[in-house]
Amino acid sequence: MTGTTVALVGAAGHGAWHLRAIEALGPRARLVATCDVQPGYDYTDHRLMLRERRPEVVVVCTPPHTHLPIALDALAAGADLLLEKPPVLSLADHRTLAAAAAGRALQVGFQALGSPTMGRLPGLVGEAVSASVAGAWWRPDTYWTRSSWSGRRGRDGALVNAFAHALMQALAITGIRPPWTLSLDRYRTRPTVEVEDTATLRLEVPDGRSVFVAVTLCSTEFVPGDITVTGTQGACEVGYAQDRLDGEVLPGRIGLLENLLDHRDRGTDLLVPLSRTEPFTVLAEAILAEAPPALLAADRLAARDDGVEIPGAAGLVRRAAAGRAHFREIGAFQ
Ligand SMILES: NC(=O)c1ccc[n+]([C@@H]2O[C@H](COP(=O)([O-])OP(=O)(O)OC[C@H]3O[C@@H](n4cnc5c(N)ncnc54)[C@H](O)[C@@H]3O)[C@@H](O)[C@H]2O)c1
């Protein structure tokens, strides 16, 4: 049988999406093993799976804090990797992983970087100077109890998890790298959740480029998380999830596993090599080190059957993003 042999570690959660992606590649990819600590898959121990099946490519889709040891084992077994985002949670781990991955192919699962909008953007805006994200989503109470790491300090949060793609996209579009000035304004609505469900973030570098993010997971009005990009020659709205540029949907999204196989077979550049995600890791580490955010008072919230709403949250997110002003700077939640 032909096709690159692929194994999936972490198959029961978001891994189901990867199973479909592997299948969609047809004969180019041959699934040789699934592994999850939950029963129902070929293996519960990824090391045993690596020894017995020797896959050429391993897709790692386990909780973020488990990525590093599994990735190191897979690299040591000689495999190339598609590692889910966030690759790791600290710069020290990022460097450990980068050293271990020398000579191997390691793609990180920020799939929106395979969007055709990325290539078209410079022609529309010139050099990107600022990127501003506005996102208002609804996540019910069950979202915060779905996994052992959900809502846990140092592991999760609206900025580093739910809106991770928006953040990574904004970093990639502006090309911002540390050292930078970071300021945050973070809130939560549930005492049992240790991380932000609502936040603004501002990143600035000395040459004037900036990233701004205003997001909430407590809005019944949906704002997709589009990015307003302002550049030296113009401005543009990027819908990173649907490949929209100023309302036009562009064809030609490249899948990250397909790109990894192209890299192995033909030397095509990886879309999301680990090095491209280092600014995200630095930012994530800083956010995850923050103390639990301010708890919003119950009289600011509207209880719903399945969760907690912040009335007017979508409007606040839009205002903050348009002015690149923190919630506290527009008088919200004072
Ligand atoms: N790219 C995206 O759009 C996207 C979307 C959702 C999740 N993710 C990422 O995918 C990863 C998994 O997310 P999830 O929501 O499915 O998490 P999850 O907590 O549901 O874990 C995924 C699976 O990993 C299994 N697992 C845990 N430890 C394991 C181990 N040592 N060996 C084998 N299996 C193990 C769990 O049993 C579970 O079935 C995370 O890194 C997350 O950030 C990415």
Side-chain angles (χ1 to χ4, degrees):
M1 240 197 260
T2 57
T4 302
T5 55
V6 181
L8 174 64
V9 182
H14 180 60
W17 185 91
H18 286 287
L19 284 175
R20 290 193 295 275
I22 294 165
E23 199 180 332
L25 287 173
R28 281 201 76 187
R30 183 155 59 91
L31 182 70
V32 293
T34 54
C35 173
D36 201 293
V37 288
Q38 295 183 38
Y41 297 90
D42 300 331
Y43 291 86
T44 52
D45 178 350
H46 70 272
R47 289 190 198 89
L48 181 63
M49 180 278 287
L50 291 168
R51 270 201 306 277
E52 290 191 352
R53 301 291 176 102
R54 307 215 67 83
E56 293 166 292
V57 167
V58 176
V59 179
V60 179
C61 188
T62 57
H65 57 281
T66 68
H67 286 181
L68 182 64
I70 296 172
L72 293 178
D73 288 338
L75 290 166
D80 289 334
L81 285 190
L82 172 55
L83 174 61
E84 259 304 347
K85 60 82 193 159
V88 285
L89 300 175
S90 73
L91 184 57
D93 284 359
H94 196 100
R95 289 184 172 152
T96 301
L97 184 56
R104 301 238 72 84
L106 197 171
Q107 176 102 292
V108 180
F110 282 110
Q111 68 265 12
L113 290 177
S115 171
T117 56
M118 293 300 283
R120 281 273 289 277
L121 200 53
L124 288 175
V125 303
E127 259 179 61
V129 176
S130 73
S132 186
V133 176
W137 297 353
W138 173 254
R139 289 292 180 270
D141 289 333
T142 49
Y143 173 82
W144 297 106
T145 52
R146 71 194 190 287
S147 295
S148 59
W149 53 286
S150 302
R152 297 280 76 89
R153 186 179 176 193
R155 301 255 159 108
D156 195 12
L159 291 168
V160 297
N161 186 20
F163 286 98
H165 295 289
L167 209 51
M168 182 66 239
Q169 215 70 3
L171 291 171
I173 287 169
T174 56
I176 283 184
R177 301 187 70 86
W180 49 38
T181 305
L182 165 66
S183 62
L184 293 162
D185 192 14
R186 299 159 61 243
Y187 302 89
R188 59 188 169 138
T189 54
R190 297 160 174 87
T192 51
V193 171
E194 299 163 348
V195 296
E196 77 283 347
D197 54 38
T198 300
T200 49
L201 168 154
R202 187 161 52 221
L203 268 185
E204 293 164 306
V205 290
D207 69 10
R209 285 173 300 154
S210 66
V211 162
F212 189 84
V213 177
V215 291
T216 182
L217 299 174
C218 306
S219 176
T220 49
E221 183 188 342
F222 178 68
V223 179
D226 288 358
I227 309 174
T228 304
V229 180
T230 307
T232 48
Q233 290 160 31
C236 184
E237 283 283 305
V238 182
Y240 64 89
Q242 304 82 17
D243 299 332
R244 271 187 287 104
L245 264 191
D246 277 342
E248 183 196 352
V249 176
L250 305 184
R253 164 82 67 124
I254 300 169
L256 296 186
L257 184 57
E258 181 183 9
N259 173 246
L260 177 58
L261 297 188
D262 287 347
H263 176 78
R264 287 172 49 91
D265 295 346
R266 307 196 262 281
T268 307
D269 285 345
L270 286 178
L271 285 163
V272 200
L274 183 64
S275 56
R276 198 174 184 195
T277 69
E278 189 177 298
F280 182 92
T281 300
V282 172
L283 186 54
E285 181 172 20
I287 297 168
L288 292 169
E290 292 280 318
L295 185 62
L296 289 177
D299 62 4
R300 297 193 170 278
L301 310 174
R304 298 173 57 90
D305 284 350
D306 60 343
V308 181
E309 178 185 359
I310 302 176
L316 291 173
V317 158
R318 283 198 196 93
R319 263 178 64 202
R324 284 183 253 143
H326 282 305
F327 288 134
R328 60 175 178 260
E329 293 167 344
I330 59 169
F333 313 133
Q334 299 304 305

